[in-house]
Amino acid sequence: MTDRPGVDYPIRYTYQPDEPPLQMTVAQLHDIRRALDEAAARPGRHAFDDFVLSYRTG
């Protein structure tokens, strides 16, 4: 992720100067839990403000 909400770097892009720190708040972790529940029925790439989920079946 970049430091802009919902904007990710291209796949295999190694230069990431605007990457935020890995630490997440408790609220962000709750957001991830909710997003996982939502994405479970829809395989694919799901971009949110603070993270990206890549979900596939099988």
Side-chain angles (χ1 to χ4, degrees):
M1 295 292 301
T2 66
D3 58 1
R4 291 169 291 181
V7 179
D8 195 13
Y9 288 102
I11 294 173
R12 294 185 186 86
Y13 198 76
T14 58
Y15 181 66
Q16 301 176 352
D18 298 318
E19 187 175 37
L22 292 176
Q23 298 89 341
M24 298 185 88
T25 66
V26 171
Q28 288 171 316
L29 294 173
H30 287 293
D31 289 343
I32 289 174
R33 181 69 248 167
R34 279 190 292 276
L36 286 168
D37 291 338
E38 292 174 21
R42 298 181 340 228
R45 183 180 179 281
H46 307 277
F48 296 87
D49 285 349
D50 298 316
F51 55 89
V52 175
L53 297 177
S54 293
Y55 179 79
R56 62 181 176 177
T57 59

